[in-house]
Every structure is written in C-alpha cells, then in structure tokens.
C-alpha cells in the first residue's frame, strides 16, 4: 500500500510540475481522499517562504511613512496588542498604547527621516524575525539634525487577518554590517 502511494505521489508530482501547476519548492502530499483509498488530486501546499519577507518589507514602508509624517498612532497600530519595545539602555515599553506613546515622544523630540532596511527575514507559520539596519535624524542641542545609524531585531506576528505586526522590537546604535 505504501509503495503504491509513493508511486502515485511521484506520478502526480511529475504530472503537476510538467503542467507548471506547482512551483519549485512546493510540498505535495496525497489528498485525504487518496489516503482513504479513493482517487483524488494531491494536496498542494504553497511555497510561502518569500511571502513573509515581501509583507514585512511593505510594512517597513508603511512604518517609515507613518513615522516620517509624525503619525505615532499609525506607527502604534503596526504593533500587536501585547507588543514590547526593548530599548537600548532603557526600560521595557509594553503594549500598543505604551509603544504609541514612546514613538509620539520621539516624534515630538524632533526625530525624523527614519529609514529602515531589512537585511534578513525568516519565518515559519505566524511568526517571523527580521534583522535590519536603520538611520534616523536626531536633533542636537543646537537644533541641527545629525544622522545616527543602527541595527535592529524585530519579531513579527501574523494576526488572524493575515497582517504582520511588530511583536518585539529591539535596537541599538552602530553599524549593522
């Protein structure tokens, strides 16, 4: 029985990929109806390995737009309800409201021109992590902006509606590479 399932699976894989119905890297397994002994199409599990990166990079653009336009509420909405900021040399900031208040303080202090760049993104299921680099304009005592650079690590969590939100966020100054 197992040998016949393997043969059928090989046959269906060859058939599916020859018609270009399945992309490389896609996992295929027999359908439940096939496992029950009836003939049915194979179950095709989509290859979503690139999806988390694309979604997170799109979220970074929204984050930068919201921050750079001074919209701390929009920045806060990008975090999970139980998010945490792990500040360099500072106390942990918990929950979406606390995160929003933190970013509002940064905006009011004159920070601007935030850039974010994802260097690594890996994910599985509803969790992903991102390692990235940032630059940020920070006002000096005289009022002139100086640009600081740093690196960050974010744990992203995908919600029920498929939206990736920042769940844990930590950063520090210094070159990312």
């Amino acid at each position: 029985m197992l040998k016949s399932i393997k043969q059928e699976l090989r046959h269906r894989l060859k058939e599916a990929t020859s018609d270009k119905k399945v992309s490389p890297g896609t996992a295929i397994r027999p359908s439940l109806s096939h496992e029950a002994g009836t003939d049915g199409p194979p179950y095709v599990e989509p290859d979503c390995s690139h999806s988390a990166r694309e979604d997170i990079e799109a979220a970074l653009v929204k984050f930068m737009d919201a921050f750079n336009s001074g919209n701390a509420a929009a920045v806060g909405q990008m975090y999970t309800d139980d998010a945490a900021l792990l500040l360099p040399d500072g106390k942990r900031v918990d929950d979406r409201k606390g995160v929003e208040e933190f970013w509002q303080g940064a905006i009011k202090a004159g920070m601007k021109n935030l850039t974010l760049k994802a260097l690594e993104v890996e994910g599985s299921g509803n969790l992903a992590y991102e390692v990235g680099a940032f630059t940020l304009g920070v006002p000096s005592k005289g009022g002139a902006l100086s640009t600081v650079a740093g690196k960050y690590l974010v744990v992203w969590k995908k919600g029920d509606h498929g939206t990736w939100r920042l769940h844990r966020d930590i950063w520090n100054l210094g070159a990312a590479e």
Side-chain angles (χ1 to χ4, degrees):
M1 171 91 170
L2 182 58
K3 187 175 180 181
S4 66
I5 290 174
K6 284 182 180 179
Q7 288 172 336
E8 180 67 18
L9 187 57
R10 279 192 203 107
H11 171 72
R12 287 174 186 246
L13 177 59
K14 184 177 178 183
E15 193 175 87
T17 56
S18 68
D19 291 337
K20 300 194 180 186
K21 295 177 187 172
V22 178
S23 62
T26 300
I28 295 183
R29 67 175 191 233
S31 68
L32 294 176
S33 62
H34 183 76
E35 291 173 337
T38 62
D39 193 23
Y43 168 79
V44 178
E45 191 173 313
D47 178 14
C48 297
S49 59
H50 69 281
S51 158
R53 182 175 192 100
E54 289 174 355
D55 291 348
I56 288 169
E57 285 178 339
L60 293 179
V61 171
K62 289 180 184 176
F63 192 105
M64 289 184 289
D65 288 346
F67 182 87
N68 291 328
S69 68
N71 190 345
V75 172
Q77 286 301 310
M78 298 192 67
Y79 286 81
T80 60
D81 289 335
D82 57 342
L85 298 179
L86 306 169
L87 306 176
D89 301 322
K91 291 185 177 183
R92 176 180 166 137
V93 176
D94 286 302
D95 70 55
R96 185 180 285 158
K97 184 174 176 26
V99 168
E100 180 182 332
E101 289 170 357
F102 172 83
W103 289 119
Q104 185 62 53
I107 291 166
K108 282 185 177 179
M111 294 182 192
K112 54 178 92 176
N113 303 328
L114 174 67
T115 64
L116 301 169
K117 180 181 179 187
L119 302 175
E120 299 173 38
V121 176
E122 294 287 333
S124 180
N126 71 337
L127 291 175
Y129 75 85
E130 172 205 3
V131 174
F134 72 88
T135 61
L136 179 65
V138 179
S140 65
K141 292 186 193 245
L145 280 182
S146 23
T147 301
V148 297
K151 56 210 168 279
Y152 63 89
L153 174 67
V154 172
V155 176
W156 292 82
K157 195 172 188 180
K158 190 183 242 184
D160 293 337
H161 301 291
T163 302
W164 287 100
R165 296 188 186 282
L166 294 91
H167 185 58
R168 298 292 183 264
D169 190 355
I170 186 170
W171 66 90
N172 60 37
L173 299 178
E177 300 177 74

